[in-house]
Amino acid sequence: MKVLVTGGAGFIGSHVAEYLIQYGHETVIVDNFQTGKKNFVPLQAKLIEMDINSPMLETVIALEKPEIVIHLAAQIDVAVSIKDPIYDAEQNIVATIRLLDYCQKYHVKKVIFSSSCAVYGETEDSSITESFPVNPLSFYGLSKATSEKYIQLTSTLQQLPYTILRYANVYGPRQSIIGEGGVVSVFFGKMLNGETPVIFGDGEQTRDFVYVKDVAQANLLAINKGDNEIINIGTDTKTSVNELLSKIMSISSVQIAPITMPAREGDIQHSRLDNTKAFTVLGWKPSFDIQTGLEETFSYYKVISEYQKGVD
Ligand SMILES: NC(=O)c1ccc[n+]([C@@H]2O[C@H](COP(=O)([O-])OP(=O)(O)OC[C@H]3O[C@@H](n4cnc5c(N)ncnc54)[C@H](O)[C@@H]3O)[C@@H](O)[C@H]2O)c1
């Protein structure tokens, strides 16, 4: 199938593009390199450097005629969303509405949307199903929740099928140091540079860390399954930030005591996603446990760090 991936030069998008190509899909990427990188894009993908807010996006969709659109391009920084909610809404809500309009106009068969566990807001220290109330604590979470509603109403009014994937904290190779799962890349960066890691709050806040290759696989499965469904993509396993740091220290064989700072605005205390629906609807379950995923991630950052030290 022909698949257009917005944000395909980014952390998750580039892994999605790799899987698409591996499974024989013709892949077109639209990215403005806000945070993404040209060298993340697989050579076999067609790369169009463009802001998704550009009116030229309509021409791209009209000419490329993708059957599937996987929409990942977004402003992903919670802190930015709180500082500048208008910018966040333009990037995450208005750009999504425009994209949906083009998709229905040019007969795209399905939109797959990258949403987030941030839509749930504060939860108990328990596993959250998709029916848990949506009550975001940041404008980023609100922009994802609002986009979900636009996608659902567009589907009802204009028969544009969708699958909404609500990711837990994604981590893995190519992640930048911002974003929801960024703590993994930040900690590995600190260890490899011999710097002191910072823990916000008491470090007992827990997250559900899902490996990026598993997230890419979920997107691939959603091409043919899960029409008009909202689906959690997580491991249903909790790891505290303190536990994460100790795993990262052990994997990187570096021990540096962290310093602590006050908890950040908009950060949730606990987050863990029930993934029963992902299995029943998509046939998806995570293939990587946190230890394996972290080891693979460390190998990537080690190579990058050694290369950079060689260049400096
Ligand atoms: N990383 C996580 O833990 C996580 C969790 C939940 C949801 N998500 C969602 O997954 C998606 C991908 O996130 P990521 O972590 O890979 O982030 P990322 O920043 O690496 O990827 C976003 C990509 O979109 C591009 N982009 C941003 N604004 C654009 C614009 N206006 N026009 C064109 N391209 C633009 C960036 O250059 C980048 O390549 C996002 O929608 C994010 O909200 C991520």
Side-chain angles (χ1 to χ4, degrees):
M1 278 211 228
K2 186 159 187 179
V3 185
L4 185 139
V5 184
T6 72
F11 160 52
I12 301 172
S14 62
H15 287 274
V16 170
E18 269 175 14
Y19 269 58
L20 288 169
I21 287 159
Q22 193 182 323
Y23 285 85
H25 297 288
E26 193 182 342
T27 305
V28 180
I29 286 172
V30 175
D31 202 299
N32 67 351
F33 305 118
Q34 173 85 20
T35 51
K37 296 203 167 68
K38 221 168 239 176
N39 63 342
F40 289 174
V41 175
L43 288 174
Q44 301 92 326
K46 178 169 180 181
L47 174 62
I48 299 170
E49 183 172 349
M50 185 180 287
D51 193 304
I52 55 162
N53 294 288
S54 160
M56 288 300 288
L57 184 64
E58 175 166 6
T59 312
V60 169
I61 294 183
L63 294 178
E64 292 293 340
K65 299 184 181 58
E67 292 162 277
I68 306 287
V69 169
I70 301 186
H71 180 35
L72 296 114
Q75 186 301 110
I76 64 156
D77 193 329
V78 169
V80 167
S81 82
I82 290 171
K83 229 167 87 187
D84 193 349
I86 295 174
Y87 172 72
D88 182 74
E90 282 165 356
Q91 297 301 311
N92 290 2
I93 304 172
V94 179
T96 301
I97 299 171
R98 210 175 281 122
L99 178 66
L100 292 171
D101 184 41
Y102 303 151
C103 287
Q104 63 85 22
K105 201 164 163 187
Y106 297 101
H107 312 294
V108 168
K109 292 200 177 104
K110 183 171 186 178
V111 172
I112 300 168
F113 178 63
S114 288
S115 188
S116 165
C117 58
V119 300
Y120 295 121
E122 198 56 82
T123 63
E124 300 296 306
D125 184 7
S126 60
S127 184
I128 297 306
T129 67
E130 292 79 356
S131 57
F132 194 84
V134 165
N135 199 11
L137 295 181
S138 67
F139 294 116
Y140 167 77
L142 182 58
S143 72
K144 289 293 178 184
T146 308
S147 297
E148 288 187 357
K149 290 287 180 201
Y150 271 97
I151 291 167
Q152 289 181 306
L153 192 54
T154 305
S155 171
T156 308
L157 297 178
Q158 287 151 349
Q159 290 77 49
L160 174 63
Y162 68 86
T163 298
I164 291 168
L165 302 174
R166 285 180 181 160
Y167 309 146
N169 290 70
V170 190
Y171 71 98
R174 301 186 205 133
Q175 185 163 33
S176 76
I177 55 169
I178 55 165
E180 293 155 272
V183 61
V184 171
S185 54
V186 170
F187 282 168
F188 273 129
K190 296 283 182 197
M191 295 303 107
L192 287 162
N193 292 319
E195 293 166 5
T196 306
V198 179
I199 287 186
F200 293 95
D202 64 4
E204 286 309 299
Q205 62 271 38
T206 62
R207 296 288 180 269
D208 178 345
F209 292 102
V210 60
Y211 195 53
V212 67
K213 289 185 181 173
D214 282 325
V215 171
Q217 185 71 47
N219 277 275
L220 205 77
L221 291 166
I223 290 176
N224 295 312
K225 293 177 191 165
D227 277 10
N228 304 334
E229 297 284 356
I230 294 183
I231 304 169
N232 283 344
I233 299 297
T235 65
D236 203 353
T237 308
K238 65 175 180 180
T239 305
S240 75
V241 173
N242 289 331
E243 284 166 344
L244 177 75
L245 181 59
S246 98
K247 280 180 192 298
I248 284 179
M249 285 189 186
S250 149
I251 290 169
S252 54
S253 307
V254 180
Q255 299 289 325
I256 307 172
I259 55 164
T260 51
M261 302 265 279
R264 291 173 299 188
E265 199 181 354
D267 272 358
I268 42 188
Q269 188 61 20
H270 298 292
S271 173
R272 176 157 60 105
L273 298 185
D274 182 295
N275 54 22
T276 313
K277 187 172 177 184
F279 185 66
T280 48
V281 173
L282 296 178
W284 178 91
K285 59 180 174 50
S287 318
F288 290 82
D289 62 19
I290 182 126
Q291 185 66 26
T292 321
L294 287 177
E295 283 168 8
E296 223 180 87
T297 306
F298 177 63
S299 307
Y300 168 81
Y301 285 116
K302 199 159 184 284
V303 170
I304 298 288
S305 158
E306 277 163 11
Y307 173 76
Q308 275 164 352
K309 280 175 189 154
V311 169
D312 292 344

